[in-house]
Amino acid sequence: MSQLEEIELICVTCPKGCKLDIIREGDTFVKITAGCKRGKEYARQELTDPRRMVATTVKVNNGLHPLVPVYTASAFPKPKIYELLSILRELQLDAPIHINQVVLADALGTGIDVIASRDLPASSAI
Amino acid sequence: MIKQVYDVVVIGSGPGGVAAGIAAKKAGAEDVLILERDVEPGGILLQCIHNGFGMENLGEDLPGPSYAQRYIIEAQGLGIVFLLETMVLDITHQRKIIATNKYAGIIEIQARAIVLGMGCRERTRAQIRLPGSRPAGVYTAGTAQRWVNIEGYMPGNNIVILGSGDIGMIMARRLTFEGAHVERVLEIMPFLSGLSRNYVQCLLDYDIPLQLQHTVKRIIGNDRIEAVETTRVDDRFNPIAGTEEIIPCDTLLLSVGLIPENELSRKAGVAIDPNIGGPYVDDDYQTSVPGIFAAGNVVHVYDLADWVTQAGFRAGENAAFFAIKTRNRELRSIPTTAGKNVRYVIPQQINKDNLAEKDVSLQLRVRQPIEAPSRILVKCGDEVITSKAEMYARPGEMISIDLKPKHYDVINSACAITVDVVERE
């Protein structure tokens, strides 16, 4: 029989930043006190499989700017963030880029795509 | 092709300005022009590549550039014109805008209503009076954000951040992603100045220390910053002796507050609330100058871009209502001109619709005295609408003559009224 464990988190789901109180016994959540339903989900997720939205930039050839911003289409496993960043750092794209264009499909086998955050015209198009 | 007169002109294409343009067009403004000094619309959202935008307004968690693009595409679809690479130099009280770009030189535009959407500026080193030498390597967090996210430069490798504002914390994570070492974040107040969630997902997640009630006492370095001397402060922000620490670094980023950007507003005579740094506004977001509205961070600094968009919608809609009223008044008004021996006539404009219901009094002075019985003639072209006899006409004595509702039909179809004062035959 494992012991009762009390955990405190700050929710990052929305800008309110609610305090979350969690009581856990081993892998079982005994009680989660949160500001809303999404907060409860976040607490459960954070303590079993923490994930974050990841946003960075990728190099672009011949674009209006030398970089295009990209992000993970959904929250990405936290322990793999640095590995993801190092892969994205090696990528090079050619302008024009379109918003939501897949830059890296199924990143690190997670099933999560990395997509472009904006249109980026070629430098000659301006 | 840029026109000379617009219903609504918006200064700035950030979230407030674009929303104002959209709402103005939807509320019936005939033509809306958005002026932007950068090479593309979007404003600071373009460098805010992190997520967290759109949850309130779009029900989606988007990065800044995606959020901006949604509204820009909507604006373009509505036929709103964006004039890019154009810097507004001056706005007058009468809503004339002087701008410049490299294609057209100086541009003059008359707006029936203006929405100010210039956003805000970061507080700089000078504004927080940071002592020490003045080497390279001391930047505002937003400047570093533009370099890293748009232009592709790193400000440095070993970074200290002063101030726990959101941009500072977001840049702490961003620079960590790009391989820099963020030594720590210092905050002079006993509490965080940005959002708690940014403390969690930008600092805690990457083990970046936050020191509350700490500040930079001195900047060290000649050509390039080499270190900062930090200190703990008491409740009155006085340094506590013995708590100093020298922290080697090659970059100091400042995230120490934002101030509404109102240089243009002041030129237009807009009254500024000294407490906030933004214009006094009413619930339509109209400033103290009729027809000049303001939306977003130019009024006060919002936590969320979504709220700026909402403020922009409201300001833009009311700007359109004002512009439509002004346009109708222009259409329904007729100028008065000083004719034979008349120096001036007041009012210079008559609203035809007023005349439908009540008398309108014209007041005038003659140029030369007529020491004989005289006649005042109000004419539309050659047709005399009404006239009045006077014993004399002297420059020192004001003359008045009334237009009556029975004159409405003639004046409604006329394009100008002239007043003559002549000697009676």
Side-chain angles (χ1 to χ4, degrees):
Chain A
M1 189 76 187
S2 44
Q3 281 194 324
L4 282 182
E5 189 187 1
E6 288 183 31
I7 305 162
E8 224 177 74
L9 292 176
I10 297 169
C11 186
V12 302
T13 310
C14 86
K16 280 187 188 164
C18 297
K19 190 164 82 74
L20 308 174
D21 290 307
I22 300 113
I23 302 173
R24 187 165 71 167
E25 188 179 357
D27 290 341
T28 315
F29 291 95
V30 178
K31 195 179 176 204
I32 301 175
T33 315
C36 73
K37 217 174 93 187
R38 280 162 59 208
K40 278 191 179 175
E41 277 166 32
Y42 170 78
R44 203 179 292 271
Q45 181 79 41
E46 183 69 4
L47 294 173
T48 50
D49 171 22
R51 289 175 179 238
R52 294 285 184 269
M53 296 297 288
V54 180
T56 184
T57 51
V58 168
K59 194 172 186 297
V60 174
N61 298 314
N62 195 37
L64 171 65
H65 302 301
L67 304 167
V68 67
V70 300
Y71 71 114
T72 51
S74 59
F76 191 82
K78 222 171 117 182
K80 293 186 173 177
I81 289 178
Y82 280 109
E83 204 183 333
L84 174 66
L85 290 169
S86 63
I87 291 172
L88 292 171
R89 197 167 295 127
E90 299 308 314
L91 282 186
Q92 288 199 25
L93 305 171
D94 292 315
I97 312 278
H98 297 290
I99 190 168
N100 297 337
Q101 177 180 327
V102 176
V103 169
L104 179 67
D106 183 21
L108 296 169
T110 55
I112 297 167
D113 291 343
V114 176
I115 59 178
S117 307
R118 56 167 288 177
D119 288 345
L120 192 74
S123 58
S124 53
I126 292 292
Chain B
M1 187 63 201
I2 294 306
K3 304 199 299 176
Q4 286 178 322
V5 183
Y6 283 83
D7 266 1
V8 177
V9 178
V10 181
I11 321 281
S13 71
V18 174
I22 290 170
K25 198 81 212 289
K26 285 183 174 171
E30 269 181 6
D31 34 34
V32 176
L33 175 70
I34 300 182
L35 301 172
E36 168 57 51
R37 65 182 172 185
D38 207 344
V39 296
E40 54 182 348
I44 297 304
L45 282 172
L46 299 178
Q47 68 187 57
C48 298
I49 66 164
H50 51 279
N51 284 75
F53 299 88
M55 295 288 274
E56 289 227 2
N57 294 349
L58 304 169
E60 289 175 63
D61 185 5
L62 298 172
S66 304
Y67 181 85
Q69 195 168 326
R70 288 286 176 95
Y71 290 102
I72 291 164
I73 284 174
E74 183 179 356
Q76 286 166 339
L78 288 166
I80 293 167
V81 180
F82 287 86
L83 188 59
L84 303 174
E85 294 179 83
T86 301
M87 184 77 190
V88 175
L89 304 174
D90 202 0
I91 303 172
T92 70
H93 201 269
Q94 291 76 30
R95 303 186 301 280
K96 193 165 86 176
I97 295 165
I98 316 288
T100 185
N101 66 30
K102 62 185 173 188
Y103 309 103
I106 296 285
I107 306 163
E108 283 192 28
I109 301 161
Q110 179 65 47
R112 295 193 176 97
I114 291 175
V115 181
L116 305 172
M118 291 90 73
C120 57
R121 263 177 202 278
E122 294 179 282
R123 203 172 260 135
T124 61
R125 175 177 177 181
Q127 286 161 301
I128 57 166
R129 299 184 188 88
L130 264 188
S133 54
R134 302 186 61 185
V138 182
Y139 311 113
T140 61
T143 293
Q145 189 179 42
R146 184 174 168 95
W147 289 349
V148 175
N149 291 344
I150 294 182
E151 297 179 15
Y153 302 112
M154 284 290 281
N157 298 312
N158 225 341
I159 292 152
V160 172
I161 298 177
L162 176 60
S164 62
D166 287 314
I167 311 170
M169 293 195 284
I170 284 163
M171 282 314 291
R173 173 179 62 184
R174 185 75 192 107
L175 289 161
T176 305
F177 278 8
E178 290 299 332
H181 174 69
V182 179
E183 182 64 43
R184 66 185 75 174
V185 176
L186 306 161
E187 170 59 58
I188 195 166
M189 304 299 285
F191 49 81
L192 197 70
S193 86
L195 299 174
S196 307
R197 72 161 173 181
N198 284 331
Y199 170 63
V200 173
Q201 63 189 3
C202 298
L203 303 187
L204 272 188
D205 274 3
Y206 303 97
D207 300 318
I208 299 165
L210 168 70
Q211 286 184 305
L212 297 175
Q213 291 196 289
H214 277 74
T215 192
V216 171
K217 193 177 166 187
R218 189 163 58 102
I219 288 169
I220 302 163
N222 286 317
D223 294 338
R224 179 84 194 186
I225 185 170
E226 287 160 17
V228 288
E229 183 181 350
T230 69
T231 176
R232 198 182 155 79
V233 297
D234 63 20
D235 292 340
R236 290 177 164 182
F237 310 118
N238 295 314
I240 300 173
T243 62
E244 295 86 354
E245 199 181 336
I246 303 279
I247 304 170
C249 61
D250 63 15
T251 305
L252 174 68
L253 295 188
L254 305 176
S255 179
V256 290
L258 302 166
I259 303 165
E261 171 54 41
N262 280 285
E263 204 179 322
L264 281 174
S265 321
R266 285 192 180 88
K267 285 188 175 181
V270 167
I272 304 291
D273 184 337
N275 247 333
I276 303 165
Y280 289 100
V281 288
D282 65 14
D283 52 339
D284 292 338
Y285 288 114
Q286 186 166 215
T287 68
S288 63
V289 177
I292 300 186
F293 297 76
N297 286 355
V298 74
V299 177
H300 76 129
V301 178
Y302 287 81
D303 297 359
L304 297 185
D306 291 62
W307 296 343
V308 169
T309 299
Q310 289 167 21
F313 283 150
R314 191 164 170 85
E317 183 181 45
N318 287 300
F321 295 154
F322 187 96
I324 292 163
K325 241 186 273 172
T326 306
R327 175 153 42 84
N328 287 341
R329 207 162 48 229
E330 288 164 13
L331 287 174
R332 298 297 300 154
S333 67
I334 181 170
T336 60
T337 43
K340 252 175 253 167
N341 197 29
V342 174
R343 190 154 72 87
Y344 66 79
V345 184
I346 293 290
Q348 290 95 337
Q349 295 262 338
I350 296 170
N351 186 334
K352 294 172 181 175
D353 295 326
N354 286 343
L355 190 62
E357 291 161 16
K358 55 184 187 232
D359 292 2
V360 172
S361 170
L362 300 179
Q363 299 162 356
L364 54 126
R365 284 185 196 278
V366 293
R367 283 186 187 283
Q368 299 295 329
I370 305 176
E371 297 294 338
S374 312
R375 184 165 287 281
I376 298 106
L377 302 165
V378 179
K379 303 194 298 190
C380 280
D382 290 334
E383 183 188 354
V384 176
I385 306 169
T386 184
S387 68
K388 185 182 172 189
E390 293 280 353
M391 292 305 292
Y392 314 97
R394 293 162 176 158
E397 293 162 10
M398 188 190 90
I399 299 168
S400 66
I401 179 167
D402 286 350
L403 290 170
K404 296 190 177 296
K406 68 176 180 191
H407 302 126
Y408 174 80
D409 286 339
V410 185
I411 286 175
N412 191 29
S413 55
C415 54
I417 292 172
T418 312
V419 184
D420 295 345
V421 178
V422 296
E423 195 174 326
R424 236 185 291 168
E425 287 156 13

